[in-house]
Amino acid sequence: AADYLHPLSKAVTAEGGAKAIFRNVFSDIFYDTLDLASQQYLRDLSRNNTFDYDQNVAAAYGQISFPITAQLKARAGLRYEHTFIDGLTQSDGNQFDNDYASWVPSGLIAWTLPDRSTLKFSYNRRIQRPSMYFLNPYVNYNDPTNISYGNPELKPEVTESLELSYGFAKGTANGTFSICHKATSDLIDNYRFVDSLGRTNATYNNLAQGYSSGISINGGIMKLGKIMLNGNLNLYYQKVESSEFSDSRNDAFSYSFNGFANVNITPTLGILFFGFLNSPKLTTQGKQSSWFMYSIGLRRDLWKKMGGISVSVDNIFHPELNLGASFRSSSLVYEADNRFEGWGVRVSLDYR
């Protein structure tokens, strides 16, 4: 990556830059089944799959910042991205490529109030590329009546957002309150249908649009005696619909929350807490259940607080987590209850 900032005058600056990202992911899947007669595990060659995936991105951007008045400032920018995707499933020789260009504009107007708080109005476009999991065309036959596979023809999601926000910082406290509206085209949607053999197929498409409007509250107290706090709360109404499938529409009021706390027991030893909670995720045909995670641990500062070691436990009171899903259309009713290991232990060492 390279960036360049050039002052055009005392108050006006121009900025530009370029960036390249190179990703390669190699996935090797194989199945061993127990042969009851020999009591040995035998490799099922018909279900083997090797997936080689490359995603390369070249991007360049330019933006200009300038004042409108002494208290009112503006910024406008434009980014160009070109994505090159290549994939190969070696089990069947299925090779695909998907190259596309994206223009990403942005704009911001900021008004500094007399108390030094800030009122901002912004527009942004965001590109969300499909992950390897969504693209891999390998068919998962773990349940022969419910098969799943990716779609290598997926396009990226494009989200346009408008946001009005108020932010302040006073002493050790800071906060931001936002009102936002977002519209997403080519939404990557988890879609299910029943084929001619009576099997439920689960895959992904870009045949839906998503809309959401709501508020966001973000704030923190950086130091309150021995406690540091930070949190974010989002409350919004969202709608997902598809013009391709007349029976595919879903809407709900949704929420998300995440928080962080650090309580210092001694000048170098602290108790850490982190957690998040998300409301059910909507698709055109249904929803996946809400999801949460929390972590409790200890951190010891080392090397005159230039680094430290942390030990934490995830979901200590929830050894098992359930993630359900419900999908309905004119041709199917699908209910699932998936259970995951909730516990986990993390150890990290950092140095700055």
Side-chain angles (χ1 to χ4, degrees), residues 8-179:
L8 300 178
S9 68
K10 187 177 293 186
V12 180
T13 60
E15 183 178 353
K19 184 177 183 179
I21 302 173
F22 304 95
R23 296 188 180 98
N24 174 260
V25 181
F26 187 80
S27 172
D28 189 9
I29 299 174
F30 58 87
Y31 285 86
D32 292 337
T33 56
L34 178 64
D35 181 69
L36 297 179
S38 64
Q39 290 297 301
Q40 293 183 339
Y41 283 94
L42 304 178
R43 184 65 47 87
D44 185 352
L45 298 179
S46 66
R47 301 175 71 181
N48 287 1
N49 179 64
T50 300
F51 184 54
D52 193 2
Y53 173 73
D54 290 293
Q55 183 192 90
N56 302 318
V57 181
Y61 78 95
Q63 70 176 27
I64 186 169
S65 303
F66 56 93
I68 300 174
T69 68
Q71 289 77 35
L72 193 62
K73 294 178 171 56
R75 184 178 70 231
L78 181 65
R79 188 172 79 251
Y80 173 79
E81 298 181 357
H82 203 102
T83 303
F84 306 87
I85 291 177
D86 292 288
L88 172 65
T89 52
Q90 296 183 3
S91 59
D92 56 7
N94 183 11
Q95 185 172 7
F96 65 89
D97 61 81
N98 189 10
D99 300 346
Y100 49 84
S102 305
W103 292 95
V104 186
S106 63
L108 170 72
I109 297 176
W111 182 24
T112 302
L113 301 175
D115 62 356
R116 309 306 299 172
S117 59
T118 306
L119 189 65
K120 297 180 180 180
F121 179 74
S122 63
Y123 161 78
N124 286 284
R125 178 180 294 170
R126 180 172 173 266
I127 305 296
Q128 179 66 44
R129 301 178 186 87
S131 68
M132 182 192 76
Y133 178 78
F134 295 156
L135 295 168
N136 190 346
Y138 174 72
V139 181
N140 185 340
Y141 288 102
N142 278 343
D143 181 351
T145 63
N146 293 281
I147 62 175
S148 61
Y149 46 89
N151 177 5
E153 302 298 324
L154 283 178
K155 297 179 289 185
E157 292 181 351
V158 179
T159 299
E160 315 272 358
S161 64
L162 293 171
E163 181 177 286
L164 178 65
S165 66
Y166 169 78
F168 72 92
K170 186 176 182 180
T172 59
N174 66 85
T176 303
F177 305 89
S178 304
I179 301 174

Side-chain angles (χ1 to χ4, degrees), residues 189-190 240 249-250 281-288 327:
D189 186 43
N190 189 350
V240 179
R249 183 185 184 276
N250 207 355
K281 179 182 178 182
L282 295 185
T283 72
T284 51
Q285 296 175 310
K287 63 182 179 180
Q288 296 173 332
F327 297 87

Side-chain angles (χ1 to χ4, degrees), residues 3-4 36 65 74 78 119 132 157 171 196 213 254 264 277 288 313-314 341:
D3 299 284
Y4 176 71
L36 297 179
S65 303
L78 181 65
L119 189 65
M132 182 192 76
E157 292 181 351
S196 59
S213 299
S254 302
N264 292 324
L277 171 65
Q288 296 173 332
V313 180
D314 295 343
E341 187 72 33

